[in-house]
Amino acid sequence: MSARVLVGVKRVIDYAVKIRVKPDNTGVVTDGVKHSMNPFCEIAVEEAVKLKEKKLIKEVVAVSCGPQQAQETIRTALAMGADRGIHVEVSGKDYDNLGPLQVSKILAALAKKEETSLIILGKQAIDDDCNQTGQMTAALLDWPQGTFASEVVLEGDKVKVIREIDGGLETVRLKMPAVITADLRLNTPRYATLPNIMKAKKKKIDVVKPGELGVDLTSHLEVLRVDEPPQRQAGMKVETVEELISRLKEAGRM
Amino acid sequence: GMSGARALRLLCVPQESKSFAVNMFKGQINTSQVFPFPSVLNEEQSQFLQELVGPVSKFFIEVNDPMKNDALEKVEDSTMEGLKELGAFGLQVPTDLGGLGLTNTQYARLVEIVGMYDLGVGITLGAHQSIGFKGILLFGTRAQKEKYLPKLASGEDVAAFCLTEPASGSDAASIKTTAVLSPCGKYYTLNGGKIWISNGGLAEIFTVFAKTSVKDEKTGEMKDKITAFIVERSFGGVTSGPPEKKMGIKASNTAEVHFDNVRVPVECVLGEVGGGFKVAMNILNNGRFGMAAALAGTMKGVIAKAVDHAVNRTQFGSKIHNYGVIQEKMARMAMLHYVTESMAYMVSGNMDSGASDFQIEAAISKIFASEASWSVTDECIQIMGGMGFMKEAGAERVMRDLRIFRIFEGTNDILRLFVALNGFQNAGNQLKNLQKALKNPLGNAGLLTGEIGKRARRRVGLGSGLSLQGTVHPEVAHSGDLTVKAIEEFGATIEEMLLKHGKKIIDEQFVLKRVADSAIDLYAMVVVLSRASRSLAQGLPSAQHEKLLCETWCIEAYGRIMADMKSLRSSSSKQLFKNLRAISSALVDNGGVVSPHPLGF
């Protein structure tokens, strides 16, 4: 089986950190803030590594787009069992404007270059909650997609994906090459062990520029302003139903 | 006598020691090991270490359950497995033998995480690698290392350090376990019993200390000397008792280990035959920095709990962090943590830089860390009030876990004597040289002029000419001056004590304890001066806060040192010691409290 799996891993602010908006309202504070791999990307890496351990696929390549620190995230993937990494170097203004459209163009270009059978991504990132990259990548490549996967089974040249949808579960069968996005219940990511982190130091990370892949990073979106969610107002106790109605009317809610 | 004195002979320091502590006893300042604050990790080591911190923390937050471990009086099986898989059992084993090959500083950083979350697990891991098989790392032959380290690194084999016996705790040199060489000379027969052995019930590999009959090189006489052995449970004859029921670190297995005619091949001798005491002292000395690092982590954790409570709890209309009483508690907790953390990384940094004489500093760091963490946790519970007393809050478990740290790995009382006596011995050697020089004054004019000049200046109240100006950051210059004054006073007092008591100083434990307390305070002053200077020089955002911690500590430490030294030199201290001795004597005679009940019955 010469199948190669590409896994996208995004460096995001750690889920446990209290987010603060920058004083100039252009974004959130990232300097000196703890970052880690997007939890859904961890699940994606875990699924890819499991497929490799079952000997169903040959190689797991971890990809991340961003500045130098993106390599830390790739190293975490390598410590979890990915074979090698690709760091697509994007920094400064380009990085600030990097969104699902740009990333999916990059992933599409890499998938073609690296002869990929399967792209596995997290369903969304916990910073922007876009939930678009997987879908856009599949569309750009004209590949089938199995999003919100809670189970993935390889069947020869096809892959069966059980998807979490509003009504319950939906099973689809995709002809590879295909794009899958991982949902919460797909698996429980393994802990990177210290010996594996040490071994990961020897694994290769290639650095490429978007230009080399023929990708144009121009964004068609402009972030105008970022604000904190409104402060939760104190509630008010009322004695009677009549009082409740009159207060609601006062507040213009009725 | 006590094993401390014997330890001294074996850990003797050469005349020109670079250790700050050794020199301060002589009233001298050697800054080479303390300024600037050591930065011993290269970029690769630092980056690698940063990658390890996350997964280790994550494991302790998400997988390890300290309350469960405490209640079960055992580390949960799944957690033990997880720790082994994580690679936590062979942190300092060389990579070619299956370990992570961490330096002391890297090890300290990880052990700090363990200390923050679960001291019971900390002791399980520490008893295994910090002392259990450390002897193999320090003294093992290549063959012994290759044979034992891989399985110890993976955790397939657990190790334990077997020194203590029912009649031999602090007086380690008095152990009675014996190892008799067979007539064929191929093996030793080991007989004896050890108590309170951490991991005793779990271990496969034991570092055991036993008395062996050794021929004295000079006299030809047979003498009983301690030899260290690597003993495998599989040798047969090794049994361990049930887990002891303890006040704290309940998750850590503590058991008796008995050796009944155990055959130990001569290849299992660790270090030299008859050199076992040195092996034991070196192992303990080598592992001490780990304790300071772990306890720095513990303190950080409880301080966060205390602060969280003080910030959220309202009483008498204000959040309690607004009240002076609470503010003083929190400030002192922060200083104690800052000193401990600075000591831990100063010592580990010195060790990684190749220093060989750090035993006084290591002992000081153990004493300080164990007492500071007890005090800090106690104050944390106090700040939390009733809530702090409840199991749920997690602070009471830490308090119970901490009590043993002032006792094991060298009781703080013994270590204080060790610090003082070691210091006195080195200072005494210098005095001896001086006395020799006095016998031949013309041939030693330079030395004598210097020494006489120093004493003359001291007599008229002028400084000794010592200074830390130019070494410490100008913003903490005043604290530097206080430190210099304290060193001068300290050095002068040491000399006076030596001249007064001579060799008999060994028995003057009231004096030794106070000398040690001041030595600890002095080292603490220097350590925070060094750390704060570095932060100021680096322009860290926390630099001004660290300056506050440093200055506040130095002011109070200076006060304590000057008061203690003054009292030692006064005649009233002699009376005080006499009184204390007499009171104790009466208690002994009476089997308890002597004064009859105020009610007469």
Side-chain angles (χ1 to χ4, degrees), chain A residues 92-245:
Chain A
K93 264 267 161 254
D94 281 340
Y95 181 60
D96 292 337
N97 294 329
L98 197 68
L101 182 58
Q102 291 76 25
V103 173
S104 54
K105 286 183 186 171
I106 292 171
L107 289 176
L110 278 174
K112 287 194 203 134
K113 184 167 176 247
E114 297 283 341
E115 289 179 0
T116 309
S117 311
L118 210 54
I119 299 180
I120 310 183
L121 307 174
K123 71 171 177 179
Q124 66 199 59
I126 61 170
D127 51 6
D128 53 25
D129 279 337
C130 285
N131 195 328
Q132 297 167 356
T133 309
Q135 293 86 336
M136 285 181 175
T137 309
L140 286 170
L141 288 165
D142 197 23
W143 286 5
Q145 57 184 263
T147 55
F148 309 102
S150 68
E151 199 180 324
V152 169
V153 182
L154 284 192
E155 296 170 348
D157 63 343
K158 298 204 176 59
V159 55
K160 183 175 84 173
V161 179
I162 299 180
R163 309 177 55 230
E164 304 219 3
I165 60 172
D166 285 346
L169 296 171
E170 180 191 58
T171 307
V172 294
R173 191 173 275 112
L174 317 172
K175 189 139 182 273
M176 302 214 283
V179 175
I180 298 175
T181 73
D183 207 324
L184 190 63
R185 278 161 281 269
L186 179 58
N187 61 50
T188 307
R190 66 197 58 199
Y191 290 93
T193 68
L194 307 187
N196 282 345
I197 294 175
M198 198 172 68
K199 284 184 205 136
K201 284 199 289 186
K202 299 198 182 92
K203 295 184 184 176
K204 204 156 165 273
I205 300 181
D206 289 312
V207 183
V208 299
K209 291 205 168 41
E212 292 165 40
L213 299 170
V215 170
D216 171 21
L217 290 180
T218 322
S219 174
H220 304 284
L221 290 177
E222 189 193 336
V223 172
L224 298 175
R225 195 185 159 84
V226 176
D227 282 301
E228 291 210 1
Q231 285 277 27
R232 205 189 139 134
Q233 299 296 332
M236 188 192 311
K237 273 190 172 160
V238 293
E239 297 293 309
T240 64
V241 174
E242 286 75 24
E243 201 188 334
L244 176 62
I245 294 175

Side-chain angles (χ1 to χ4, degrees), chain A residues 15 42 75 191-195 197-198 201, chain B residues 44 51-52 55 58 62-63 85-86 95 100:
Chain A
Y15 75 90
E42 281 183 355
R75 271 194 214 293
Y191 290 93
T193 68
L194 307 187
I197 294 175
M198 198 172 68
K201 284 199 289 186
Chain B
E44 201 227 310
E51 288 179 42
L52 301 181
K58 202 171 170 190
E62 295 178 14
V63 178
E85 270 169 34
L86 186 63
T95 50
L100 287 171

